[in-house]
Amino acid sequence: MGINEFIEVRKDFIVPSRISIISKVRGLRPKEFKYGKVVRKTPLSECPFCPGNEFKTPPATLVVKLVNGEVLYLKDSDTERVRDWKVRIFPNKFPALTTLGTSLNYGYHEVIVETPEHIDLPYVKDLNQYVLVFKAIVKRFTNVLKDPKINHVILIKNYGPLSGASLEHPHMQFFATSFPLPYVVEEITYSTKYYKDYGRCPYCELISKDLNSSRFIYGNEGFIILSARAPRSPYEVWVLPKRHERSFINITDEEIRYLVDALQKILKAYEKCLGNPSFNLWLHTSPKKLSNGDDYVYHWHIEISPILTTWGGFEKGSGTYIIPVSPEEAGEYLKKCVRELI
Ligand SMILES: [Zn+2]
Ligand SMILES: [Zn+2]
Ligand SMILES: [Zn+2]
């Protein structure tokens, strides 16, 4: 085979202007990525996310507590903190947005502590605990979106030293903005166009097309995990709800169970089969409104991007990504890995 067969250009299914160059010239195997490995650290007694250290953070806006099997949703006051919590959501001490803002800087930037346990794992071990985390997120998002000044919200998780995470205690963050976030607007624009052209949501189409491809990694009754067709990093995956729905906050309790099952599986696969890399995860959901009205198509989803290579000037400057592993190879590898974990 000549070099022509080793380099292939792929377009993203949703946003065709996003391009990946699949280059197998280096022929890297999964364990040969030397970049982005998580260094395990000893627990920090001073960790502000650990139980007992609640006063090291601003007062929580939502605290989940279990009392005799009943789930309670509480909040801190300025002078008191809820103890014995399961999940804790509070404003970031170093926020990028503030409710004291008077312009585009108005917004919420909060931290979601996923477990009281100080453990360096990319996922929550106990699925019941994971369910509590996502129920709390839905509750908090629903509340924040009631703020008339807020239009959009994005959930993110940075894991590992190369992800931007500064603390190892398992946590996520969300940002709620007054303006719709540009990547989601771009996806909505293309989805709506696709719908006009073909009469179908492109995400629903992607699910049915890729279900029987080598990019299919895992599926349960509610969700499907696919290896991204035009990844921006090797082993990038998308977690898609099977039910067509533009807004994450409309997820049902039953769907939350399927979501955490899927998330745990893929994050375990990263940990066990990719050498526990740093990664970024984000959840794309519809804004409340777009400037051109309500007539648009969208399908909420999660994208997860492990940090196994670094973006150079070409990637940053061109919106084109050089990927040393094909999406099919990545899909088959992760699928096998997920199967072996079950
Ligand atoms: Zn901690
Ligand atoms: Zn759809
Ligand atoms: Zn997206």
Side-chain angles (χ1 to χ4, degrees), residues 44 47-51 116-119 168-170:
L44 309 164
C47 172
F49 298 171
C50 270
E117 220 183 328
H118 188 103
I119 181 169
E168 61 186 351
H169 194 121

Side-chain angles (χ1 to χ4, degrees), residues 201 204 244 299:
C201 158
C204 290
H244 178 79
H299 189 129

